[in-house]
Structure formats: structure tokens, C-alpha cells
Amino acid sequence: VTPLLDVVRDSVRAEGPITFARYMELALYHPEHGYYAGGAPRTGWNGHFVTSPELDPAFGALWARAAETVWRACGLPARFEVVEVGPGEGGFAAAFLGAAPAPLRAALAVTLVEPIPALRARQRRRLEGLGDVRWVRDLDAIGRVEHGCIFCNEVLDNQPVHLVERAGGRLREVMVDAAPDGSLRLAPRPPAAFVVEWMGRHRIHPPEGARAEVPVAAERLVGRAARALARGAVVLVDYGTSGERNAAGTLLTYGAGGPGADLLADPGARDITAHVDWRLVSGWLVDAGLRPAGPRPQREVLKALGARDLERALAAESHSARGARVVRALSRRQALAALLDPAGLGGLDVVLGCAGIPPPAFMADQRDGDRP
Ligand SMILES: C[S@@+](CC[C@H](N)C(=O)[O-])C[C@H]1O[C@@H](n2cnc3c(N)ncnc32)[C@H](O)[C@@H]1O
């Protein structure tokens, strides 16, 4: 029994069955007992899973090259803002600041969007002395970004979703209820009018027996990021699909022992994710006046940004260095291989929303993109 189970039960007692989106919000972000807000590191070697920026600084360094490209496309403005939403343990910002080339650094203003105090404190410690960084609690507080990049790595798949299914010819919203014995159970109910309207507008029509997710919060997040940006790029990296539908939906949970399909298991002690539907995301970017590029696999984008040069430099170092530096170079080579592995982190997708600039070359499809 997790402390969050009591929170959910209290909520159900007070309001009746709650939407899956409300359940997911409590399970991940309840200020005391939520999976991300509870204080324990979740991403990285001390957490439950390793994300690209926590695996190796190569990720942040390669994205610093991408930011330089965007800065150039904007006409080398004197001030260039890099905003990161959901920085987790701060690995991306640390590597990015460490690797940004001097001319870009001189123009750089970094903002981290972090609502969770425990995470903000760890990020502050990790980034101390690395450059000028400001923190805001909410994306709405970043203000207008005249020139810049707004990054979200593995943030969209953690946005609460409503869950719907079609059974007996009828659309149902899957709610979370408490059983008489106090355990949680899924309970279908007639859907709220705004959920039906949203699904109609986005042409989401699950067939009989199938479930679908309604990512209202992701739409809000993408819209806010896109509308804040006057010129530059919104960069979204996540696990996604391009409209292909799985009858069971894409919701999964992750804990210390790996993935699980029981969405109600150990609330607050497990991550809950839903794949991002890139067709929807592209539509939201267009609605906000941006030009979408991608999805392109992360492995191809990182290669286009120079992952191979880095690989060669690490290979040379592992051959010529001595002692601990050899071990470090060898383990970094393995980390880089994992970032490019189609079955691993290389299988993440990248989508850009371009504001007032053409899609950068690193997002262009190249036939030999997958050539080793
Ligand atoms: C899977 S973690 C990824 C962390 C980090 N980006 C990384 O790649 O290591 C998702 C993070 O997104 C954060 N998050 C989710 N919604 C957010 C929002 N609206 N604003 C800021 N952070 C958010 C969560 O708190 C969590 O730390």
C-alpha cells in the first residue's frame, strides 16, 4: 500500500470516480507522494530508468550544436534563450552549458521550467558555476522568447491523459474508482462532453473493443511552448507513434523492476507514460503558427549533429589515453552506441516546431541516415 493510494481513495470518496487524467496527475505530481514530486531521483543511474541526457553528456553536447544552428538561422541575435521544460536531474542543461561554443555562450540565457522544489534544488547543485541559469515554476512564466529553443526531453509522454474505450458500440470514459475492499479499479462511465468534442476534433475513433488516450494536457503544453516562441525552434523528443493504433492503447507503468501493464499498481511508486501521437503534435504546432519537422529518429538526428565525430574522438582517446581515462572513454563509447541504438534510446523520435526559420538540415531525411 502506497501513501498515494490513500490520496486517490480520499479523492474518490469526495468526488466519486475520478478521470484517468486526474489519477495520472496525482500519481505522478501529487506534491508529497507523486512519483516525480516525492523527492527521490527517478531518472539516471540512481533512479528507475536512464534517459538520454543522464546516460551521457554527448546528448546535451550534440543538442548544443543544434542550438547553434538555430541561433545562426535566427541571424545571430545578441540574446538567445534556451528553455528546458522538465529538466529532471539536470544532465541536459549541464552538458549543454559545458559544450556550447563560445560565441553562442555569450548570447545564451538559460531557463529551466521546474515546478518541483526537490528537483529544483538538485538541478541548482548540479549546475552551480556552469553559467547563468534562471528557474521558473511554470511554462507560462517564461514570457515571450524572442529568439531561442524550447526543449522537452521525455516530458510529453508523462502528461496526464483521459482514457476512453468503445464497448457495445458505445464510447466510455475509463474512470478510476475504489472497490468495496479499498483497492482501485477501472470503471467505465459516459464520457464528459469536452472529451467527446476533443476526440471528434482530433478524429480519434477507437474501434469496438479498443482503448484510446486523449492527451489534453500535452496539447496545452505544446501550445504554450509554441506560442511563447517568436523565432527559433521547439524541440520535442519522446517515444511516439504516427497514428498507428494499438487496441490496448499505449499506457504503461515503470518501476524498479521494469515495465508493467497494471495501470493501478502501486500508485506514486511507478512512472506512468503514454506514447505521443506525432500527428496530433504536428497539428498543434501548425495551429500555433509553427512549421513542424519530423518525426525523425533520434539516432539519425544525433548522427546528423556529429555523433560519429564524437565516436571517433572517443575511440582515439580509448587507444591513446592511460589508466582511468581509457575506461572512461570506453564506457562513453558504449553510452553513445546506446543513444544511437534503434532498439534503445536511438528509437526515440524528434519533432521540431520551427518558428520563423526553415527546418534545419539535421531534421532533413537523408537516405544514408542509418548507415553506420
Ligand atoms: C521522464 S522525466 C525526464 C526528465 C529529463 N527531461 C530527462 O530527460 O532526464 C519527465 C519530467 O518531466 C517533468 N514534467 C512533467 N510535466 C511538466 C511540466 N508541465 N512542467 C515542467 N516539468 C514537467 C516531470 O516532473 C519529470 O521530471
Side-chain angles (χ1 to χ4, degrees):
V1 174
T2 58
L4 196 92
L5 184 58
D6 286 331
V7 175
V8 176
R9 281 193 202 125
D10 288 348
S11 224
V12 170
R13 227 167 272 139
E15 308 163 33
I18 57 173
T19 63
F20 192 81
R22 176 71 181 137
Y23 169 75
M24 195 167 160
E25 188 186 330
L26 289 171
L28 297 184
Y29 307 116
H30 180 275
E32 235 180 302
H33 305 303
Y35 181 76
Y36 281 107
R42 297 309 191 184
T43 49
W45 299 109
N46 299 321
H48 284 170
F49 54 96
V50 180
T51 53
S52 305
E54 297 305 326
L55 179 64
D56 194 85
F59 182 79
L62 292 168
W63 277 108
R65 291 189 187 180
E68 194 193 15
T69 305
V70 174
W71 178 55
R72 286 186 187 285
C74 289
L76 305 173
R79 178 181 160 83
F80 189 76
E81 277 193 65
V82 168
V83 177
E84 192 194 357
V85 183
E89 299 301 315
F92 176 81
F96 186 100
L97 282 162
L104 171 63
R105 259 197 92 100
L108 205 55
V110 174
T111 300
L112 302 187
V113 181
E114 181 55 75
I116 299 166
L119 280 174
R120 214 178 307 138
R122 288 205 292 275
Q123 291 156 10
R124 260 185 221 287
R125 276 200 296 280
R126 185 151 176 196
L127 298 176
E128 206 162 325
L130 287 180
D132 244 355
V133 181
R134 77 168 172 145
W135 275 261
V136 296
R137 279 162 218 271
D138 190 276
L139 195 49
D140 284 339
I142 61 173
R144 182 88 171 146
V145 176
E146 288 304 330
H147 299 102
C149 282
I150 302 180
F151 284 95
C152 301
N153 187 64
E154 290 203 42
V155 175
L156 287 185
D157 69 343
N158 276 142
Q159 299 308 303
V161 294
H162 289 260
L163 186 57
V164 291
E165 65 184 18
R166 189 175 299 278
R170 283 203 219 148
L171 200 61
R172 295 291 195 187
E173 177 155 6
V174 181
M175 311 287 281
V176 174
D177 195 5
D181 68 359
S183 63
L184 298 180
R185 63 182 180 192
L186 295 173
R189 293 279 186 279
F194 86 92
V195 170
V196 177
E197 181 277 324
W198 199 98
M199 292 176 68
R201 189 155 39 93
H202 291 88
R203 294 196 290 277
I204 296 181
H205 304 297
E208 179 64 27
R211 278 188 180 166
E213 292 115 26
V214 175
V216 179
E219 179 187 30
R220 208 176 310 126
L221 195 151
V222 170
R224 281 178 180 172
R227 290 192 171 85
L229 184 64
R231 200 147 185 231
V234 175
V235 180
L236 306 166
V237 185
D238 237 305
Y239 291 102
T241 61
S242 289
E244 56 279 20
R245 301 231 172 262
N246 172 349
T250 69
L251 279 161
L252 269 184
T253 75
Y254 287 86
D262 179 358
L263 303 178
L264 302 177
D266 303 328
R270 300 178 69 81
D271 194 13
I272 307 177
T273 70
H275 276 25
V276 176
D277 182 337
W278 293 121
R279 287 188 324 175
L280 298 179
V281 172
S282 295
W284 303 332
L285 291 169
V286 170
D287 289 347
L290 272 57
R291 181 170 166 190
R296 196 171 184 215
Q298 151 152 309
R299 60 185 177 279
E300 288 184 22
V301 175
L302 296 183
K303 281 184 215 165
L305 289 169
R308 291 292 181 218
D309 303 341
L310 208 59
E311 152 71 14
R312 276 188 285 275
L314 289 171
E317 189 169 341
S318 65
H319 292 128
S320 63
R322 284 168 191 278
R325 287 187 54 208
V326 178
V327 180
R328 172 86 181 129
L330 283 173
S331 73
R332 286 204 62 197
R333 279 179 75 183
Q334 282 197 338
L336 196 55
L339 287 177
L340 304 178
D341 178 0
L345 291 164
L348 283 149
D349 290 317
V350 178
V351 163
L352 243 64
C354 303
I357 60 164
F362 63 78
M363 287 303 291
D365 271 328
Q366 287 155 358
R367 273 174 182 280
D368 62 352
D370 254 340
R371 204 174 58 191

